[in-house]
């Protein structure tokens, strides 16, 4: 009898909270749209000037304070970033639970909404996984949503302090690494051992204006940036100068969008599976698509493995794959040796799509390919050992047997950059054909640094309309090969520049090791069981 009474009391309390908050929200809306509308709106719009009115000259010695939510970021809702933590740091089940909470979040006030999102996203989450998400996943989405006007004001000042009610662990890495913020004061989360509990620390939700007073004492910051909300008005009213970022400007003004060329730091590496900002509607669309996506990926994979190249090509296009081939395979000048195709590396499927596009069998050499990927590969794959002498002998033998595909970057890169090319391939062949490969996805990335690599092809093929563009360039003239007197490094650098120009990508000197150390904290090498025993 006690248990039903407890459930009844709990249901009564939840109903009361929902109704109370709903009535409160309705009353506020009626008040806003009633007799007090003109007074309130005029006061908020005229209190502080727009951020576009802030001068940028001579502020190198000044101190600026602001928030990231609704000020530095154009999106006012922080839900998509909690969804990224739930999906990328947690699991798909945690992400689905957060999506189910959306109707509840709509009726809650700001503080309760934040507490619910924090609890669902962080309860039981490993601190290590959150750090990886903050370093490798979130910066891409923050950069894409930066407000250009707010960032220019931030960058013009000498000292920068961010006060925010969102969890500090979600924003600190990005703010310090990409925006050179000196200090981040945010909501602290409670932890037990190596896990978050989903609860706030003893200090509770951060009150920005109170935290500013505690941080600066009697001293006033020089510049304050805030949104049009009341809490931000309290924060920036404590500064010598104050400017607001209007919600209307954030949503509709193209001039507030941060172009890639103005990023404070180039975005070359990032991780995670989601290729879109997971707003509630976009996330709902993804979950509705998932059952069909899995079936579609299995169909596309089976077609590529079981059917002849031409039929697989046609059925792939019929299923929604966008495959475009430009150029053709050049004739061989030496029939006793195969042609070496040198490709840019976008996904594990690069050699497969090149083979299918050309309609002839090719052998692909790989580094650290998982056993599952080797099993399901529809073409012959040979694993290299990273021992230069041994790998050279292996590739030389394979070229004597037929045509070969190599990706000298050694790892995939999602952004429009090319990593440094290994020069080993240039020492082994005179018949070298550069191939510019590029892909585009709109839902899932088909690459990962810290996840299960065996699922990379599946995720790529789960996209509604993934595209693969294959551009075969002219065969390298003999005078530009090692046989023509060029060094292997010169040949590798020349091909990198040639492919970069064909794709419109920027060439870098970054390597595979740089990528994995940044994204996963390791060198990205998959060891065999035999290697581990030794």
């Amino acid at each position: 009898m006690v248990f039903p009474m407890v459930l009844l009391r709990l249901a009564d309390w939840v109903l009361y909270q929902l109704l109370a908050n709903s009535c409160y929200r309705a009353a506020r809306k009626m008040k806003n749209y009633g007799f007090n509308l003109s007074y309130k709106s005029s006061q908020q719009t005229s209190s502080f000037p727009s951020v576009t009115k802030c001068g940028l000259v001579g502020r190198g010695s000044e101190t600026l304070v602001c928030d990231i939510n609704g000020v530095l970021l154009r999106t006012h809702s922080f839900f998509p970033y909690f969804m990224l933590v739930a999906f990328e740091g947690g699991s798909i089940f945690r992400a689905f639970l957060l999506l189910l909470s959306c109707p509840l979040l709509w009726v809650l006030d700001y503080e309760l909404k934040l507490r619910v999102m924090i609890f669902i996203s962080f309860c039981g989450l490993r601190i290590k996984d959150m750090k990886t998400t903050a370093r490798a996943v979130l910066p891409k989405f923050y950069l894409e949503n930066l407000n250009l006007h707010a960032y220019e004001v931030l960058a013009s000042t000498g000292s920068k302090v961010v006060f925010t009610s969102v969890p500090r662990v979600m924003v600190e890495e990005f703010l310090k690494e990409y925006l050179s913020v000196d200090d981040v004061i945010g909501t602290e989360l409670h932890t037990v051992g190596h896990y978050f509990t989903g609860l706030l620390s003893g200090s509770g939700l951060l009150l920005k204006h109170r935290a500013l007073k505690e941080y600066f004492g009697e001293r006033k910051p020089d510049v304050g940036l805030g949104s049009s909300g009341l809490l931000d008005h309290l924060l920036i009213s404590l500064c010598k100068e104050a400017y607001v970022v209007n919600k209307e400007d954030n949503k509709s003004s193209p001039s507030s969008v941060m172009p890639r060329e103005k990023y404070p730091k180039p975005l070359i590496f990032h991780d995670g599976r989601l290729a879109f900002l997971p707003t509630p509607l976009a996330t709902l669309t993804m979950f509705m698509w998932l059952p069909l996506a899995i079936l579609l990926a299995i169909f596309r994979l089976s077609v590529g493995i079981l059917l002849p190249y031409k039929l697989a090509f046609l059925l792939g296009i019929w299923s929604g794959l966008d495959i475009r081939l430009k150029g053709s395979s050049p004739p061989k000048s030496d029939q006793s040796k195969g042609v070496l195709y040198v490709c840019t590396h976008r996904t594990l499927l690069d050699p497969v799509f090149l083979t299918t596009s050309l309609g002839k069998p090719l052998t692909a050499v790989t580094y650290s390919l998982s056993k599952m990927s080797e099993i399901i590969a529809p073409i012959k794959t040979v694993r290299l050992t990273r021992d230069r002498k041994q790998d050279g002998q292996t590739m030389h033998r394979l070229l004597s047997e037929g045509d070969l595909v190599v990706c000298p970057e050694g790892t995939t890169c999602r952004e429009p950059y090319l990593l440094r090319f290994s020069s080993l391939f240039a020492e082994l062949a005179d018949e070298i054909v550069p191939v510019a490969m590029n892909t585009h996805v709109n839902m899932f990335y088909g690459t990962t640094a810290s996840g299960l690599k065996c699922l990379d092809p599946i995720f790529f093929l789960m996209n509604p309309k993934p595209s693969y563009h294959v551009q075969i360039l002219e065969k390298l003239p003999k005078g530009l090969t090692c046989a023509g007197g060029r060094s292997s490094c010169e040949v590798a650098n020349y091909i990198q520049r040639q492919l970069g120009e064909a794709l419109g990508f920027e060439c870098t000197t970054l390597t595979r090791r740089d990528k994995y150390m940044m994204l996963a904290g390791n060198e990205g090498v998959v060891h065999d069981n035999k290697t581990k025993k030794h």
Side-chain angles (χ1 to χ4, degrees), residues 122 124-131 169 189-198:
F122 284 90
L125 186 69
R126 292 194 306 176
I127 297 175
K128 176 184 176 182
D129 293 334
M130 180 60 233
K131 287 182 177 179
V169 292
L189 303 183
H190 183 259
T191 59
V192 173
H194 300 292
Y195 295 86
F196 291 101
T197 63

Side-chain angles (χ1 to χ4, degrees), residues 86-87 90-100 120 287:
F87 188 93
S91 66
I92 191 171
F93 304 106
R94 186 189 294 268
F96 186 63
L97 182 60
L98 183 59
L99 178 65
L100 290 179
I120 295 175
F287 276 104

Side-chain angles (χ1 to χ4, degrees), residues 142-196:
Y142 288 148
L143 284 172
E144 290 178 347
N145 284 280
L146 267 183
N147 184 303
L148 178 59
H149 301 310
Y151 168 71
E152 288 176 340
V153 175
L154 179 85
S156 69
T157 57
S159 179
K160 312 164 185 66
V161 183
V162 170
F163 294 88
T164 182
S165 298
V166 302
R168 177 182 55 81
V169 292
M170 289 181 65
V171 298
E172 185 175 38
E173 178 78 23
F174 168 73
L175 290 171
K176 289 188 174 182
E177 181 69 22
Y178 284 85
L179 303 189
S180 302
V181 170
D182 299 286
D183 209 351
V184 180
I185 314 298
T187 295
E188 299 294 338
L189 303 183
H190 183 259
T191 59
V192 173
H194 300 292
Y195 295 86
F196 291 101

Side-chain angles (χ1 to χ4, degrees), residues 17 43 71 135 142 163 246 281 301 388 434 483 494 508 514 521:
Q17 290 292 327
Q43 187 179 18
V71 180
R135 181 181 66 251
Y142 288 148
F163 294 88
N246 296 314
L281 182 58
L301 195 64
R388 192 176 183 86
Y494 174 79
T508 73
D514 295 325

